Each structure stands twice: as C-alpha cells, then as structure tokens.
PDB file of all heavy atoms in Angstrom:
ATOM      1  N   ASP A   4       0.826  -1.228   0.025  1.00  0.00           N
ATOM      2  CA  ASP A   4      -0.025   0.056   0.079  1.00  0.00           C
ATOM      3  C   ASP A   4       0.894   1.252  -0.007  1.00  0.00           C
ATOM      4  O   ASP A   4       0.499   2.326  -0.642  1.00  0.00           O
ATOM      5  CB  ASP A   4      -0.919   0.056   1.170  1.00  0.00           C
ATOM      6  CG  ASP A   4      -2.026  -1.106   1.100  1.00  0.00           C
ATOM      7  OD1 ASP A   4      -2.386  -1.542   0.018  1.00  0.00           O
ATOM      8  OD2 ASP A   4      -2.559  -1.440   2.309  1.00  0.00           O
ATOM      9  N   ARG A   5       2.058   1.209   0.674  1.00  0.00           N
ATOM     10  CA  ARG A   5       2.915   2.469   0.698  1.00  0.00           C
ATOM     11  C   ARG A   5       4.021   2.199  -0.184  1.00  0.00           C
ATOM     12  O   ARG A   5       5.010   3.054  -0.365  1.00  0.00           O
ATOM     13  CB  ARG A   5       3.519   2.449   2.217  1.00  0.00           C
ATOM     14  CG  ARG A   5       2.299   2.889   3.203  1.00  0.00           C
ATOM     15  CD  ARG A   5       2.749   3.052   4.728  1.00  0.00           C
ATOM     16  NE  ARG A   5       4.019   3.883   4.653  1.00  0.00           N
ATOM     17  CZ  ARG A   5       5.094   3.210   5.162  1.00  0.00           C
ATOM     18  NH1 ARG A   5       5.237   2.127   5.713  1.00  0.00           N
ATOM     19  NH2 ARG A   5       6.290   4.080   5.281  1.00  0.00           N
ATOM     20  N   GLY A   6       4.191   1.179  -1.045  1.00  0.00           N
ATOM     21  CA  GLY A   6       5.120   0.983  -2.066  1.00  0.00           C
ATOM     22  C   GLY A   6       6.574   0.578  -1.426  1.00  0.00           C
ATOM     23  O   GLY A   6       7.573   0.830  -1.931  1.00  0.00           O
ATOM     24  N   VAL A   7       6.539   0.123  -0.138  1.00  0.00           N
ATOM     25  CA  VAL A   7       7.759  -0.300   0.624  1.00  0.00           C
ATOM     26  C   VAL A   7       8.002  -1.811   0.143  1.00  0.00           C
ATOM     27  O   VAL A   7       7.202  -2.755   0.456  1.00  0.00           O
ATOM     28  CB  VAL A   7       7.582  -0.234   2.094  1.00  0.00           C
ATOM     29  CG1 VAL A   7       8.886  -0.738   2.704  1.00  0.00           C
ATOM     30  CG2 VAL A   7       7.388   1.217   2.449  1.00  0.00           C
ATOM     31  N   ARG A   8       9.259  -1.973  -0.554  1.00  0.00           N
ATOM     32  CA  ARG A   8       9.712  -3.342  -0.779  1.00  0.00           C
ATOM     33  C   ARG A   8      10.423  -3.960   0.285  1.00  0.00           C
ATOM     34  O   ARG A   8      11.119  -3.246   1.003  1.00  0.00           O
ATOM     35  CB  ARG A   8      10.508  -3.303  -2.150  1.00  0.00           C
ATOM     36  CG  ARG A   8       9.769  -2.770  -3.316  1.00  0.00           C
ATOM     37  CD  ARG A   8      10.739  -2.775  -4.473  1.00  0.00           C
ATOM     38  NE  ARG A   8      11.754  -1.923  -4.356  1.00  0.00           N
ATOM     39  CZ  ARG A   8      13.046  -2.250  -4.506  1.00  0.00           C
ATOM     40  NH1 ARG A   8      13.521  -3.525  -4.893  1.00  0.00           N
ATOM     41  NH2 ARG A   8      14.051  -1.466  -4.310  1.00  0.00           N
ATOM     42  N   GLY A   9      10.334  -5.163   0.337  1.00  0.00           N
ATOM     43  CA  GLY A   9      11.200  -5.989   1.285  1.00  0.00           C
ATOM     44  C   GLY A   9      11.954  -6.953   0.515  1.00  0.00           C
ATOM     45  O   GLY A   9      11.528  -7.653  -0.488  1.00  0.00           O
ATOM     46  N   ILE A  10      13.337  -7.025   0.687  1.00  0.00           N
ATOM     47  CA  ILE A  10      14.217  -7.799  -0.108  1.00  0.00           C
ATOM     48  C   ILE A  10      15.088  -8.584   0.854  1.00  0.00           C
ATOM     49  O   ILE A  10      15.572  -8.095   1.981  1.00  0.00           O
ATOM     50  CB  ILE A  10      15.141  -7.080  -1.190  1.00  0.00           C
ATOM     51  CG1 ILE A  10      16.093  -6.126  -0.409  1.00  0.00           C
ATOM     52  CG2 ILE A  10      14.280  -6.333  -2.186  1.00  0.00           C
ATOM     53  CD1 ILE A  10      17.098  -5.466  -1.371  1.00  0.00           C
ATOM     54  N   ASN A  11      15.458  -9.901   0.497  1.00  0.00           N
ATOM     55  CA  ASN A  11      16.356 -10.571   1.299  1.00  0.00           C
ATOM     56  C   ASN A  11      17.764 -10.467   0.655  1.00  0.00           C
ATOM     57  O   ASN A  11      17.830 -10.431  -0.572  1.00  0.00           O
ATOM     58  CB  ASN A  11      16.102 -12.004   1.291  1.00  0.00           C
ATOM     59  CG  ASN A  11      14.789 -12.275   2.022  1.00  0.00           C
ATOM     60  OD1 ASN A  11      14.629 -11.752   3.043  1.00  0.00           O
ATOM     61  ND2 ASN A  11      13.924 -13.099   1.472  1.00  0.00           N
ATOM     62  N   LEU A  12      18.695 -10.143   1.419  1.00  0.00           N
ATOM     63  CA  LEU A  12      20.147  -9.883   0.927  1.00  0.00           C
ATOM     64  C   LEU A  12      21.158 -10.959   1.344  1.00  0.00           C
ATOM     65  O   LEU A  12      21.193 -11.153   2.631  1.00  0.00           O
ATOM     66  CB  LEU A  12      20.553  -8.502   1.403  1.00  0.00           C
ATOM     67  CG  LEU A  12      21.959  -8.078   0.971  1.00  0.00           C
ATOM     68  CD1 LEU A  12      21.977  -7.903  -0.528  1.00  0.00           C
ATOM     69  CD2 LEU A  12      22.409  -6.798   1.710  1.00  0.00           C
ATOM     70  N   PHE A  13      21.680 -11.698   0.446  1.00  0.00           N
ATOM     71  CA  PHE A  13      22.680 -12.617   0.778  1.00  0.00           C
ATOM     72  C   PHE A  13      24.103 -11.845   0.517  1.00  0.00           C
ATOM     73  O   PHE A  13      24.273 -11.208  -0.462  1.00  0.00           O
ATOM     74  CB  PHE A  13      22.598 -13.894  -0.163  1.00  0.00           C
ATOM     75  CG  PHE A  13      21.415 -14.645   0.088  1.00  0.00           C
ATOM     76  CD1 PHE A  13      20.214 -14.320  -0.650  1.00  0.00           C
ATOM     77  CD2 PHE A  13      21.276 -15.619   1.139  1.00  0.00           C
ATOM     78  CE1 PHE A  13      19.099 -15.076  -0.418  1.00  0.00           C
ATOM     79  CE2 PHE A  13      20.188 -16.328   1.271  1.00  0.00           C
ATOM     80  CZ  PHE A  13      19.006 -16.097   0.533  1.00  0.00           C
ATOM     81  N   VAL A  14      24.967 -12.035   1.413  1.00  0.00           N
ATOM     82  CA  VAL A  14      26.308 -11.447   1.174  1.00  0.00           C
ATOM     83  C   VAL A  14      27.435 -12.385   1.315  1.00  0.00           C
ATOM     84  O   VAL A  14      27.340 -13.550   1.818  1.00  0.00           O
ATOM     85  CB  VAL A  14      26.565 -10.326   2.371  1.00  0.00           C
ATOM     86  CG1 VAL A  14      25.514  -9.292   2.227  1.00  0.00           C
ATOM     87  CG2 VAL A  14      26.548 -11.007   3.733  1.00  0.00           C
ATOM     88  N   HIS A  15      28.507 -12.025   0.714  1.00  0.00           N
ATOM     89  CA  HIS A  15      29.733 -12.791   0.748  1.00  0.00           C
ATOM     90  C   HIS A  15      30.874 -11.780   0.895  1.00  0.00           C
ATOM     91  O   HIS A  15      30.800 -10.644   0.526  1.00  0.00           O
ATOM     92  CB  HIS A  15      29.904 -13.639  -0.454  1.00  0.00           C
ATOM     93  CG  HIS A  15      30.174 -12.835  -1.747  1.00  0.00           C
ATOM     94  ND1 HIS A  15      29.026 -12.319  -2.527  1.00  0.00           N
ATOM     95  CD2 HIS A  15      31.293 -12.597  -2.399  1.00  0.00           C
ATOM     96  CE1 HIS A  15      29.582 -11.671  -3.559  1.00  0.00           C
ATOM     97  NE2 HIS A  15      30.933 -11.833  -3.388  1.00  0.00           N
ATOM     98  N   SER A  16      31.992 -12.311   1.498  1.00  0.00           N
ATOM     99  CA  SER A  16      33.065 -11.339   1.538  1.00  0.00           C
ATOM    100  C   SER A  16      33.729 -11.016   0.214  1.00  0.00           C
ATOM    101  O   SER A  16      34.027 -11.828  -0.727  1.00  0.00           O
ATOM    102  CB  SER A  16      34.245 -12.151   2.382  1.00  0.00           C
ATOM    103  OG  SER A  16      33.720 -12.362   3.661  1.00  0.00           O
ATOM    104  N   ASP A  17      33.889  -9.749   0.053  1.00  0.00           N
ATOM    105  CA  ASP A  17      34.425  -9.203  -1.223  1.00  0.00           C
ATOM    106  C   ASP A  17      35.226  -7.988  -0.911  1.00  0.00           C
ATOM    107  O   ASP A  17      34.691  -6.876  -0.725  1.00  0.00           O
ATOM    108  CB  ASP A  17      33.323  -8.958  -2.091  1.00  0.00           C
ATOM    109  CG  ASP A  17      33.660  -8.385  -3.464  1.00  0.00           C
ATOM    110  OD1 ASP A  17      34.703  -7.760  -3.623  1.00  0.00           O
ATOM    111  OD2 ASP A  17      33.004  -8.713  -4.578  1.00  0.00           O
ATOM    112  N   ALA A  18      36.619  -7.990  -0.857  1.00  0.00           N
ATOM    113  CA  ALA A  18      37.330  -6.984  -0.439  1.00  0.00           C
ATOM    114  C   ALA A  18      37.224  -5.752  -1.306  1.00  0.00           C
ATOM    115  O   ALA A  18      37.282  -4.665  -0.858  1.00  0.00           O
ATOM    116  CB  ALA A  18      38.832  -7.367  -0.466  1.00  0.00           C
ATOM    117  N   GLU A  19      37.019  -5.939  -2.696  1.00  0.00           N
ATOM    118  CA  GLU A  19      36.810  -4.832  -3.493  1.00  0.00           C
ATOM    119  C   GLU A  19      35.550  -4.067  -3.158  1.00  0.00           C
ATOM    120  O   GLU A  19      35.488  -2.857  -3.238  1.00  0.00           O
ATOM    121  CB  GLU A  19      36.830  -5.209  -4.966  1.00  0.00           C
ATOM    122  CG  GLU A  19      36.836  -4.144  -5.952  1.00  0.00           C
ATOM    123  CD  GLU A  19      36.829  -4.704  -7.557  1.00  0.00           C
ATOM    124  OE1 GLU A  19      37.536  -5.792  -7.743  1.00  0.00           O
ATOM    125  OE2 GLU A  19      36.432  -3.984  -8.426  1.00  0.00           O
ATOM    126  N   GLN A  20      34.483  -4.916  -3.049  1.00  0.00           N
ATOM    127  CA  GLN A  20      33.241  -4.241  -2.781  1.00  0.00           C
ATOM    128  C   GLN A  20      33.270  -3.459  -1.380  1.00  0.00           C
ATOM    129  O   GLN A  20      32.679  -2.381  -1.216  1.00  0.00           O
ATOM    130  CB  GLN A  20      32.093  -5.308  -2.664  1.00  0.00           C
ATOM    131  CG  GLN A  20      30.780  -4.749  -2.465  1.00  0.00           C
ATOM    132  CD  GLN A  20      29.617  -5.771  -2.361  1.00  0.00           C
ATOM    133  OE1 GLN A  20      29.830  -6.822  -1.681  1.00  0.00           O
ATOM    134  NE2 GLN A  20      28.479  -5.410  -3.116  1.00  0.00           N
ATOM    135  N   LEU A  21      33.978  -4.028  -0.320  1.00  0.00           N
ATOM    136  CA  LEU A  21      34.034  -3.498   0.946  1.00  0.00           C
ATOM    137  C   LEU A  21      34.901  -2.133   0.781  1.00  0.00           C
ATOM    138  O   LEU A  21      34.453  -1.157   1.480  1.00  0.00           O
ATOM    139  CB  LEU A  21      34.721  -4.325   2.026  1.00  0.00           C
ATOM    140  CG  LEU A  21      33.786  -5.508   2.419  1.00  0.00           C
ATOM    141  CD1 LEU A  21      34.589  -6.539   3.212  1.00  0.00           C
ATOM    142  CD2 LEU A  21      32.522  -5.095   3.054  1.00  0.00           C
ATOM    143  N   SER A  22      35.918  -2.257  -0.008  1.00  0.00           N
ATOM    144  CA  SER A  22      36.675  -0.944  -0.316  1.00  0.00           C
ATOM    145  C   SER A  22      35.831   0.189  -0.864  1.00  0.00           C
ATOM    146  O   SER A  22      36.066   1.303  -0.474  1.00  0.00           O
ATOM    147  CB  SER A  22      37.953  -1.283  -1.130  1.00  0.00           C
ATOM    148  OG  SER A  22      38.827  -2.210  -0.503  1.00  0.00           O
ATOM    149  N   HIS A  23      35.058  -0.180  -1.753  1.00  0.00           N
ATOM    150  CA  HIS A  23      34.190   0.774  -2.478  1.00  0.00           C
ATOM    151  C   HIS A  23      33.234   1.292  -1.412  1.00  0.00           C
ATOM    152  O   HIS A  23      33.024   2.577  -1.363  1.00  0.00           O
ATOM    153  CB  HIS A  23      33.332   0.089  -3.494  1.00  0.00           C
ATOM    154  CG  HIS A  23      32.380   1.049  -4.204  1.00  0.00           C
ATOM    155  ND1 HIS A  23      32.671   2.033  -5.018  1.00  0.00           N
ATOM    156  CD2 HIS A  23      30.934   0.986  -4.196  1.00  0.00           C
ATOM    157  CE1 HIS A  23      31.599   2.600  -5.392  1.00  0.00           C
ATOM    158  NE2 HIS A  23      30.618   2.052  -4.951  1.00  0.00           N
ATOM    159  N   MET A  24      32.640   0.551  -0.465  1.00  0.00           N
ATOM    160  CA  MET A  24      31.733   0.955   0.527  1.00  0.00           C
ATOM    161  C   MET A  24      32.531   1.889   1.390  1.00  0.00           C
ATOM    162  O   MET A  24      31.980   3.020   1.817  1.00  0.00           O
ATOM    163  CB  MET A  24      31.226  -0.092   1.323  1.00  0.00           C
ATOM    164  CG  MET A  24      30.039  -0.941   0.498  1.00  0.00           C
ATOM    165  SD  MET A  24      29.520  -2.292   1.341  1.00  0.00           S
ATOM    166  CE  MET A  24      28.540  -1.422   2.585  1.00  0.00           C
ATOM    167  N   VAL A  25      33.805   1.651   1.774  1.00  0.00           N
ATOM    168  CA  VAL A  25      34.527   2.535   2.651  1.00  0.00           C
ATOM    169  C   VAL A  25      34.773   3.847   1.916  1.00  0.00           C
ATOM    170  O   VAL A  25      34.608   4.949   2.515  1.00  0.00           O
ATOM    171  CB  VAL A  25      35.924   1.856   3.091  1.00  0.00           C
ATOM    172  CG1 VAL A  25      36.912   2.822   3.582  1.00  0.00           C
ATOM    173  CG2 VAL A  25      35.706   0.698   4.007  1.00  0.00           C
ATOM    174  N   ALA A  26      34.974   3.803   0.563  1.00  0.00           N
ATOM    175  CA  ALA A  26      35.173   5.083  -0.133  1.00  0.00           C
ATOM    176  C   ALA A  26      33.921   5.944  -0.118  1.00  0.00           C
ATOM    177  O   ALA A  26      34.012   7.195   0.071  1.00  0.00           O
ATOM    178  CB  ALA A  26      35.634   4.856  -1.469  1.00  0.00           C
ATOM    179  N   LEU A  27      32.764   5.265  -0.223  1.00  0.00           N
ATOM    180  CA  LEU A  27      31.360   6.024  -0.106  1.00  0.00           C
ATOM    181  C   LEU A  27      31.284   6.646   1.195  1.00  0.00           C
ATOM    182  O   LEU A  27      30.884   7.805   1.232  1.00  0.00           O
ATOM    183  CB  LEU A  27      30.262   5.043  -0.545  1.00  0.00           C
ATOM    184  CG  LEU A  27      30.279   4.463  -1.821  1.00  0.00           C
ATOM    185  CD1 LEU A  27      29.174   3.534  -1.984  1.00  0.00           C
ATOM    186  CD2 LEU A  27      29.961   5.571  -2.978  1.00  0.00           C
ATOM    187  N   ILE A  28      31.655   5.906   2.166  1.00  0.00           N
ATOM    188  CA  ILE A  28      31.415   6.425   3.595  1.00  0.00           C
ATOM    189  C   ILE A  28      32.544   7.634   3.724  1.00  0.00           C
ATOM    190  O   ILE A  28      32.017   8.688   4.329  1.00  0.00           O
ATOM    191  CB  ILE A  28      31.721   5.384   4.626  1.00  0.00           C
ATOM    192  CG1 ILE A  28      30.704   4.341   4.553  1.00  0.00           C
ATOM    193  CG2 ILE A  28      32.014   5.994   5.975  1.00  0.00           C
ATOM    194  CD1 ILE A  28      31.038   3.150   5.410  1.00  0.00           C
ATOM    195  N   ASP A  29      33.730   7.489   3.282  1.00  0.00           N
ATOM    196  CA  ASP A  29      34.629   8.576   3.412  1.00  0.00           C
ATOM    197  C   ASP A  29      34.084   9.880   2.676  1.00  0.00           C
ATOM    198  O   ASP A  29      34.472  10.910   3.155  1.00  0.00           O
ATOM    199  CB  ASP A  29      36.030   8.118   3.026  1.00  0.00           C
ATOM    200  CG  ASP A  29      36.716   7.061   3.823  1.00  0.00           C
ATOM    201  OD1 ASP A  29      36.267   7.012   5.030  1.00  0.00           O
ATOM    202  OD2 ASP A  29      37.664   6.470   3.402  1.00  0.00           O
ATOM    203  N   ARG A  30      33.526   9.783   1.530  1.00  0.00           N
ATOM    204  CA  ARG A  30      33.051  10.865   0.818  1.00  0.00           C
ATOM    205  C   ARG A  30      31.712  11.390   1.293  1.00  0.00           C
ATOM    206  O   ARG A  30      31.251  12.279   0.745  1.00  0.00           O
ATOM    207  CB  ARG A  30      32.939  10.435  -0.689  1.00  0.00           C
ATOM    208  CG  ARG A  30      34.222  10.239  -1.522  1.00  0.00           C
ATOM    209  CD  ARG A  30      34.089  10.182  -2.881  1.00  0.00           C
ATOM    210  NE  ARG A  30      33.003   9.216  -3.354  1.00  0.00           N
ATOM    211  CZ  ARG A  30      33.337   7.909  -3.747  1.00  0.00           C
ATOM    212  NH1 ARG A  30      34.524   7.490  -3.944  1.00  0.00           N
ATOM    213  NH2 ARG A  30      32.220   7.191  -4.253  1.00  0.00           N
TER     214      ARG A  30
END
C-alpha cells in the first residue's frame, strides 16, 4: 500500500566491494 519493498540480501566477503563502501562512507 505504501510501496515499501522487502528484499532478502545474501552477502559474501568481497574486499573490492568493501573498499568501495569505505570510499562511499569517506566521501
């Protein structure tokens, strides 16, 4: 009714992806 989606997120260790997230946080 409010257009809120629910998603399940599966994660795995990925150093490159984590580095990208750190850069996003730093910026």
